[in-house]
Amino acid sequence: MPTKNISMLVNFHHPYIRHSDQTASDYVKENSLLFDKITNLYIPFLNMISKMETEKLGAKIAVVFSTPLCSLLSDEEVIKQYEAYLDNLIDFGKKEVTRTKTVKEINKIAVQYLEKILETKRYFKEVYEEDLLKYFGNYAKKGIIEILATCGTYMFMPHYADMSEILNAQVETGLYSVRHYFGVSAEGFYLPELGYAPGIEKVLRMYGVNYTILPSQSFLLGQVVPEKGIFAPARCYNCLSLFATDPLKLEYFNNPVYKNKNKDIAWELELDELKPFIKKGQARTSSGFCYWNNSFNDSDMNPKNMKKSEFIYNQENAFSQIELDSEDFVSAYKEKLDSASSILKDTDVSMTCVFDDQMLLKNWDEGLVWFESVVRKFISEGVKVTSFSELLFDKFSLQKITPYFASGSAESYGEDYLSSKNGWMIRYLRKACERIVDLAGRFPDDTGLKVRLLNLGSRELLLALSSEWAKMIETNDYPEYAEKAFKDSIIAFTALFDALGSNTVSTEWLCNLEKDHPIFPWMNFRIFSKKH
């Protein structure tokens, strides 16, 4: 009996933002972006998987963890900062519960969120032992989730499709990262921003990757159009299996009943009232204490309106809407699968959905609750929520295609990674890439200080290659920080390049740089060597 399958992948990624000069009781606004994800996405996601395991639901979810995110989540200093963040947020939450006692509906929300933060701290310290990656790895070993690798620093691969050594280094780093942090080997590889260009499949297959995911344009605009469209996997000439995504444009978060995350109380209160969460001299960051729904806007900002019940967030109403929105999503996909199944008689059909972590969190407080509801509804409708690898039981029967260049960002071709705002970056990156390949060939057998310099230079180049810096500049999301982080890595790489040429280096500077960026502890510069 033909089956209808859906593969759901959640892409967890965060740029390498680390402040080693911050004390355990302090943090800056960039850190809070990561801490918000840990609190409202990563820990709840683990709880959701645990619940599915207990209920023997049978769903298998695919996830991607970028190496920068893994490095941050396993960094002792970042962990201390996160715990300090939770402690400060709990102290602030207690003050909020007291402050809001005069408005019953708002006080109820404050109490609920404070209880959530307290529960989050308990889960992080006691249940997950301050090691979230370990538990994700445990679920991967049980086969409940499937972990895909991605580039070492989430590089936009089409920009370097002509530089095989750079692609090799990024793929090798990403694959090793999965083994290092999770204790499993990744069968699949997630292309950052789904960016594909001809030739990338050679590198992936060379490293033993079995499958990857492409935008639907790559499937449908190639020289050979797949007979089954995007409703079945295909393969390249070298037997790399391919899955096509169905483009997602979720706009459910705009519903008036959902929580308005832009009206966080941390942006409304006086600074003195935000202590100890926000201290003197610190920039304001979101606290998570949001009391109003999406029907509340700037024109309503006055004390009387803030107490009107139609503007105050109601969790019961939001959860009722989640049921409707998840049903709408599932029914739309079920209809597509049913139509494909009726046309492709006696054939299994499948579809792929890719969810970015920002899609489920940034503007949508209820995003993960909706996601869980979608999984459950698919199962109740007879659609199998399965892993990619389970759909490749007979990969040699898959149709061969020649994918077309495409991306999952901007207008499908990655324009936002090479725009008038950030286009200046790529000339420095490509020159640095040429230099590291040359260095790897000139110093293949060196030891001692030169190896430390080469390894550190490789690390700084990988960090500079992160597509997040270009994206943050393009979207105006902390652009000053992104530009500084990029320039710091390029300047550090150039200084290391010059030091190798002059045979002189400040060991103090070298040690400080190694301490500031402890990512890739396994780094070996020879990953940039030419492969013959």
Side-chain angles (χ1 to χ4, degrees):
M1 181 71 179
T3 61
K4 297 164 188 173
N5 306 280
I6 190 89
S7 295
M8 303 177 71
L9 180 144
V10 182
N11 177 26
F12 294 131
H13 171 59
H14 192 78
Y16 191 72
I17 298 175
R18 182 181 187 274
H19 295 274
S20 60
D21 57 336
Q22 302 298 310
T23 65
S25 61
D26 200 5
Y27 50 86
V28 293
K29 60 183 180 180
E30 293 90 1
N31 290 96
S32 67
L33 300 175
L34 173 64
F35 299 159
D36 182 42
K37 288 182 180 181
I38 296 172
T39 303
N40 295 304
L41 188 58
Y42 304 152
I43 291 176
F45 192 90
L46 272 174
N47 294 342
M48 178 190 75
I49 296 297
S50 176
K51 194 191 313 179
M52 289 181 176
E53 180 189 28
T54 302
E55 297 177 17
K56 298 181 180 179
L57 205 58
K60 294 185 178 180
I61 311 296
V63 295
V64 178
F65 278 90
S66 67
T67 306
L69 174 59
C70 291
S71 180
L72 292 170
L73 291 178
S74 60
D75 190 310
E76 290 184 4
E77 189 163 355
V78 174
I79 290 170
K80 287 180 181 178
Q81 291 173 358
Y82 176 61
E83 290 176 352
Y85 165 90
L86 287 180
D87 289 338
N88 290 337
L89 189 55
I90 288 168
D91 289 342
F92 170 68
K94 291 175 180 177
K95 289 173 60 178
E96 269 299 280
V97 170
T98 301
R99 188 186 69 84
T100 58
K101 277 186 175 179
T102 56
V103 184
K104 182 179 178 181
E105 295 90 341
I106 290 180
N107 182 253
K108 179 182 177 181
I109 300 169
V111 170
Q112 286 175 340
Y113 196 68
L114 176 58
E115 289 174 348
K116 178 181 177 179
I117 301 302
L118 289 167
E119 190 75 351
T120 296
K121 182 180 178 180
R122 184 183 73 82
Y123 270 105
F124 185 72
K125 291 182 68 69
E126 299 175 18
V127 178
Y128 299 126
E129 305 170 297
E130 301 178 343
D131 192 352
L132 302 182
L133 299 181
K134 170 186 171 183
Y135 284 85
F136 276 107
N138 290 343
Y139 286 125
K141 291 169 186 175
K142 293 178 182 178
I144 299 172
I145 64 173
E146 181 173 23
I147 298 179
L148 284 74
T150 189
C151 284
T153 51
Y154 215 69
M155 177 186 79
F156 189 65
M157 299 178 80
H159 287 172
Y160 306 91
D162 61 324
M163 307 179 84
S164 59
E165 295 82 12
I166 305 305
L167 296 180
N168 291 341
Q170 286 278 1
V171 172
E172 188 171 327
T173 302
L175 290 169
Y176 186 86
S177 173
V178 173
R179 293 195 298 271
H180 177 81
Y181 288 111
F182 301 103
V184 297
S185 294
E187 283 192 51
F189 193 93
Y190 181 79
L191 306 175
E193 297 298 336
L194 298 174
Y196 170 80
I200 290 175
E201 72 282 352
K202 295 179 183 178
V203 177
L204 297 181
R205 198 72 191 108
M206 182 177 72
Y207 280 96
V209 174
N210 285 330
Y211 68 86
T212 191
I213 303 163
L214 300 179
S216 56
Q217 298 93 322
S218 289
F219 259 52
L220 303 177
L221 299 181
Q223 293 179 352
V224 178
V225 179
E227 295 173 358
K228 299 177 182 178
I230 64 172
F231 295 97
R235 61 172 171 149
C236 288
Y237 59 89
N238 63 358
C239 289
L240 177 72
S241 299
L242 309 169
F243 292 87
T245 60
D246 189 49
L248 289 180
K249 290 187 178 179
L250 300 182
E251 296 182 352
Y252 298 118
F253 64 87
N254 287 319
N255 193 286
V257 304
Y258 289 138
K259 185 177 288 187
N260 190 332
K261 295 193 72 173
N262 295 321
K263 299 297 180 185
D264 194 295
I265 199 65
W267 304 101
E268 312 295 341
L269 296 178
E270 297 295 331
L271 281 173
D272 286 343
E273 297 178 280
L274 294 173
K275 294 178 181 178
F277 180 64
I278 306 293
K279 299 177 182 177
K280 186 177 181 180
Q282 283 185 305
R284 291 178 185 250
T285 60
S286 297
S287 66
F289 284 88
C290 306
Y291 303 129
W292 298 282
N293 57 38
N294 284 330
S295 65
F296 186 72
N297 55 52
D298 290 333
S299 63
D300 300 313
M301 289 292 289
N302 68 68
K304 288 184 179 180
N305 281 350
M306 288 182 183
K307 296 180 182 180
K308 286 186 177 180
S309 59
E310 66 264 30
F311 292 139
I312 296 174
Y313 176 71
N314 185 298
Q315 190 178 73
E316 290 75 19
N317 291 344
F319 281 19
S320 296
Q321 186 62 42
I322 282 171
E323 289 299 307
L324 298 175
D325 289 342
S326 59
E327 185 176 335
D328 176 73
F329 182 87
V330 170
S331 63
Y333 272 84
K334 180 71 162 46
E335 184 178 345
K336 293 178 184 178
L337 288 167
D338 288 343
S339 297
S341 184
S342 65
I343 296 171
L344 304 171
K345 300 183 185 302
D346 301 321
T347 302
D348 293 347
V349 294
S350 63
M351 294 188 74
T352 297
C353 296
V354 175
F355 301 86
D356 190 87
D357 56 5
Q358 291 296 306
M359 191 185 297
L360 298 177
L361 178 65
K362 188 173 183 179
N363 296 314
W364 199 6
D365 191 72
E366 302 84 0
L368 191 58
V369 181
W370 172 87
F371 180 87
E372 181 179 350
S373 180
V374 164
V375 173
R376 293 177 181 278
K377 280 185 168 56
F378 270 130
I379 293 172
S380 67
E381 290 289 333
V383 178
K384 187 178 181 182
V385 181
T386 188
S387 62
F388 296 100
S389 56
E390 285 194 350
L391 296 174
L392 298 177
F393 54 88
D394 188 12
K395 63 185 297 184
F396 295 105
S397 67
L398 302 178
Q399 182 183 358
K400 289 183 181 179
I401 66 171
T402 304
Y404 186 75
F405 164 76
S407 165
S409 68
E411 297 299 319
S412 303
Y413 298 101
E415 305 92 319
D416 48 346
Y417 288 108
L418 195 60
S419 70
S420 58
K421 290 183 179 180
N422 55 37
W424 57 272
M425 304 169 77
I426 196 165
R427 63 181 181 269
Y428 297 103
L429 289 170
R430 289 185 64 89
K431 174 55 70 174
C433 288
E434 292 171 2
R435 286 177 167 178
I436 195 64
V437 173
D438 177 59
L439 289 173
R442 279 201 285 155
F443 301 97
D445 302 315
D446 278 87
T447 58
L449 189 59
K450 280 187 179 178
V451 170
R452 282 180 64 189
L453 283 169
L454 288 163
N455 288 343
L456 188 55
S458 301
R459 188 180 303 166
E460 291 299 323
L461 175 57
L462 286 176
L463 288 174
L465 284 166
S466 173
S467 63
E468 283 299 310
W469 308 136
K471 186 173 185 178
M472 290 166 72
I473 291 171
E474 174 67 18
T475 59
N476 205 34
D477 189 12
Y478 299 113
E480 298 86 0
Y481 180 87
E483 183 173 336
K484 182 180 184 303
F486 172 78
K487 288 181 176 179
D488 284 350
S489 288
I490 287 293
I491 291 170
F493 174 84
T494 305
L496 291 161
F497 178 80
D498 292 342
L500 283 165
S502 61
N503 207 27
T504 58
V505 66
S506 165
T507 52
E508 181 183 359
W509 173 78
L510 180 62
C511 290
N512 286 336
L513 196 56
E514 288 174 330
K515 182 182 177 183
D516 287 343
H517 292 164
I519 191 174
F520 312 125
W522 62 83
M523 179 54 63
N524 186 326
F525 72 94
R526 296 174 183 86
I527 61 173
F528 289 99
S529 299
K530 291 181 180 293
K531 307 293 190 294
H532 298 290

